[in-house]
Amino acid sequence: MENDTITISKIVKNVSQKYNEGYYTVCWVKDEIKGLEIDGVLYPNMSNSIFFLDKKVNWKLYIKDGNSNSGYILNLADEVLSHPLLSKLHISQIRMFNTSTVPLLKLSPGIEKRTQAILEMIDELLGSHLNNKEDALISLLNTFFVYCDGQCNIKTIVDKNHTKANIVYAFKQMVDQHLAKSHEVSFYASLLNISTRYLNECVQEVLNVSSKNIIIEQLLIRSRHALKFTNKTIKEIGYELGFSTPDYFSYFFKTQTGVSPSELRKSVTS
């Protein structure tokens, strides 16, 4: 790849705008911004989202006063997306870049941290003179796009009236906040003032998984992390995640993963 086929910058200017006519753009908005203007239409008060902007789209991004870092802007030339590793993902076919719509991903908190880490590594690599830098950059971009197209994110389009996607995003936020309090879908439906059936319908339509799977996924992510990277006992981890007894936590974990919590911990330390 030639120089400047990939550029990345932090969102720190009051107004950021299209980099170059020949580049696709990925905007990761971390802290809430005033808005993103796309072909003259302003979408206000965006946060914790990724936008995929086709090279034919004209755009401007406005941040709020005092925001020191609202995210990243990543610009990619045609030849980058044509790389054999990235072309396997069929990025254009899955409409990450498309002139008729602007795909928008709202990120769950866990995925947000991974996204930030990947973009920070891309930023660091672009400023380095390391051997095999190009291979490392393509690998990071591949990982980034795989996350973006995964079921752990909510993929929709920039549309103020996309009600079901908004419900699912709110549901995922509530699961993150209240996971230790309840593992029941009905609990979150009640918080959203909708029926359990309608919540299930929304999640199935937007993510193609069940509402219960979202809760289970979060429980497994948190339990694995605690087992691998903390010194908390299995009993402590189970109670912190809202399980009534250590035995119930162990039963849940082994049913979902095929190994017990103690077996997983032993495999990490051995």
Side-chain angles (χ1 to χ4, degrees):
M1 292 185 300
E2 298 180 1
N3 291 336
D4 295 333
T5 54
I6 303 174
T7 70
I8 191 169
S9 59
K10 290 183 178 179
I11 301 173
V12 293
K13 297 179 181 178
N14 288 337
V15 181
S16 301
Q17 57 188 344
K18 189 172 184 174
Y19 171 72
N20 187 294
E21 288 294 328
Y23 285 71
Y24 296 92
T25 302
V26 180
C27 288
W28 172 55
V29 174
K30 179 183 177 183
D31 300 329
E32 186 172 290
I33 59 171
K34 285 184 179 178
L36 178 65
E37 183 181 309
I38 301 171
D39 287 338
V41 179
L42 182 66
Y43 299 90
N45 303 321
M46 297 289 189
S47 66
N48 193 26
S49 303
I50 297 178
F51 302 89
F52 295 87
L53 300 162
D54 186 271
K55 58 185 178 181
K56 296 179 182 178
V57 170
N58 291 309
W59 61 270
K60 289 183 180 180
L61 187 147
Y62 305 91
I63 70 171
K64 295 187 174 182
D65 294 337
N67 280 13
S68 58
N69 180 12
S70 296
Y72 277 100
I73 296 173
L74 178 65
N75 298 295
L76 305 169
D78 275 310
E79 67 180 272
V80 176
L81 297 181
S82 299
H83 188 280
L85 184 61
L86 298 184
S87 63
K88 291 179 182 178
L89 299 176
H90 303 297
I91 292 169
S92 59
Q93 285 89 330
I94 61 176
R95 299 193 325 147
M96 282 188 174
F97 297 104
N98 188 299
T99 55
S100 61
T101 59
V102 178
L104 158 67
L105 276 69
K106 291 186 174 181
L107 304 183
S108 61
I111 301 303
E112 176 194 351
K113 293 176 183 177
R114 292 173 177 82
T115 298
Q116 180 169 351
I118 292 171
L119 293 174
E120 285 176 347
M121 285 189 284
I122 290 173
D123 193 8
E124 183 178 342
L125 269 173
L126 284 172
S128 75
H129 299 284
L130 297 174
N131 293 330
N132 304 312
K133 181 171 79 171
E134 178 181 324
D135 291 339
L137 285 168
I138 292 297
S139 180
L140 285 170
L141 285 171
N142 183 63
T143 303
F144 175 76
F145 284 123
V146 167
Y147 269 125
C148 289
D149 197 39
Q151 290 182 339
C152 48
N153 299 316
I154 298 174
K155 185 165 37 179
T156 181
I157 61 173
V158 175
D159 184 345
K160 298 175 184 178
N161 300 313
H162 206 286
T163 307
K164 286 188 176 180
N166 292 335
I167 287 173
V168 177
Y169 180 51
F171 166 61
K172 287 173 72 74
Q173 284 188 309
M174 288 178 177
V175 170
D176 182 68
Q177 294 168 6
H178 303 293
L179 187 62
K181 186 180 296 183
S182 179
H183 305 161
E184 298 302 320
V185 175
S186 57
F187 170 82
Y188 298 98
S190 178
L191 289 179
L192 290 164
N193 294 314
I194 59 176
S195 69
T196 302
R197 181 178 178 179
Y198 185 62
L199 176 56
N200 283 325
E201 178 185 319
C202 292
V203 175
Q204 188 66 45
E205 181 176 317
V206 174
L207 295 179
N208 200 30
V209 297
S210 70
S211 303
K212 190 66 176 180
N213 279 350
I214 299 298
I215 297 170
I216 291 171
E217 177 190 55
Q218 278 301 309
L219 288 169
L220 292 176
I221 288 172
R222 295 190 189 190
S223 56
R224 283 196 187 100
H225 184 273
L227 289 165
K228 289 181 179 180
F229 303 112
T230 76
N231 294 320
K232 294 175 182 176
T233 66
I234 292 172
K235 180 179 179 180
E236 288 172 330
I237 294 169
Y239 283 140
E240 286 184 4
L241 289 174
F243 290 91
S244 55
T245 67
D247 287 343
Y248 182 35
F249 171 55
S250 295
Y251 171 78
F252 163 82
F253 192 85
K254 186 163 187 177
T255 299
Q256 296 296 327
T257 66
V259 297
S260 68
S262 57
E263 287 171 333
L264 177 67
R265 176 161 275 176
K266 193 177 296 183
S267 70
V268 174
T269 56
S270 61

